[in-house]
Amino acid sequence: MKPPTRRYEYETDGAAIYRASFATIRREADTAHLPGDAEKVAVRMIHACGQPDLATDLHVTEDFVGAARAALRAGAPILTDAQMIAAGVTRPRLPRDNDVVCLLRDERVPLLARDFGTTRSAAAVSLWTERLEGAVVAIGNAPTALFHLLELLADGAPRPAAVVGVPVGFIGAAESKEALAAYAPRIPHLVVHGRRGGSAMAVAALNALAQDDEIGASVR
């Protein structure tokens, strides 16, 4: 197949684009308040949204990156509230071919949501219990899912190894992340305070945690 006529000047080398992008982020974003091992996670998240000021809303506990990476290396599953997150994880980056689980489409969810009087996203979290111990949790869509997770933990549910809490939205998102932050230091976590968040940010964090290599596994 013949390529189209080149009419614009632009970088076409994937690795070069990544290098230049990450260098730009490091010039423009202030990540000095973050733990040292969280810097690459922050850079990947900023790259996913194009907003260097995201760093100002990012809070990462000192033990988060170490706990999440150790869990993944031990084969722990990733439990998430959104199919988009599950689909976005770069599987070759995962150290142990870890399961990436979203139960939103489980046939039990609609009935549970009705019985609990909550959203389907929150109801699906109730189905995580058997795999929650030592798991890496990533919530990037539904504030109700994060609230529900915290309520389960308060009632004695198994404790995950680490939580990426970045639900997005105007109703409950900021509050759910404040609730997760208030749960510290009982659980290692990452949050983006305020209304910002979403599946792309959650995926970026997971992919950065799965493998420290910033460029090689990113270019496919």
Side-chain angles (χ1 to χ4, degrees):
M1 181 181 296
K2 182 180 178 180
T5 302
R6 181 68 62 82
R7 301 179 187 275
Y8 306 97
E9 291 296 325
Y10 56 93
E11 180 62 69
T12 59
D13 181 83
I17 290 170
Y18 271 102
R19 284 192 294 269
S21 296
F22 294 150
T24 300
I25 291 167
R26 290 187 165 99
R27 286 195 304 270
E28 297 184 5
D30 182 3
T31 60
H33 64 290
L34 299 174
D37 60 2
E39 191 263 356
K40 286 185 178 180
V41 179
V43 168
R44 289 296 297 262
M45 293 177 70
I46 293 167
H47 182 257
C49 67
Q51 300 171 333
D53 69 321
L54 180 77
T56 63
D57 291 331
L58 187 59
H59 172 74
V60 184
T61 60
E62 291 286 343
D63 53 352
F64 169 76
V65 173
R69 285 185 169 159
L72 292 175
R73 288 195 297 268
I78 295 170
L79 307 178
T80 184
D81 68 320
Q83 294 288 348
M84 287 182 65
I85 298 173
V89 173
T90 305
R91 303 304 171 103
R93 292 182 73 93
L94 296 173
R96 293 285 299 276
D97 193 24
N98 308 67
D99 288 340
V100 184
V101 180
C102 177
L103 297 178
L104 190 58
R105 296 175 181 169
D106 189 285
E107 61 183 10
R108 296 167 290 178
V109 166
L111 182 59
L112 278 176
R114 188 190 69 188
D115 290 346
F116 292 169
T118 190
T119 66
R120 294 188 180 192
S121 295
V125 172
S126 292
L127 300 177
W128 292 354
T129 305
E130 291 183 357
R131 305 196 69 181
L132 193 55
E133 181 72 36
V136 175
V137 170
I139 296 176
N141 182 49
T144 55
L146 183 51
F147 277 128
H148 197 80
L149 173 65
L150 294 174
E151 290 166 344
L152 287 174
L153 294 174
D155 283 346
R159 185 176 181 269
V163 176
V164 176
V166 291
V168 63
F170 294 90
I171 307 300
E175 293 82 357
S176 68
K177 289 176 277 190
E178 289 292 340
L180 175 58
Y183 204 77
R186 287 174 285 177
I187 187 166
H189 65 267
L190 173 156
V191 298
V192 173
H193 286 294
R195 295 169 170 174
R196 286 190 287 188
S199 296
M201 287 188 195
V203 166
L206 290 172
N207 286 336
L209 292 167
Q211 190 177 106
D212 195 49
D213 180 12
E214 201 166 54
I215 305 296
S218 301
V219 182
R220 293 180 291 170

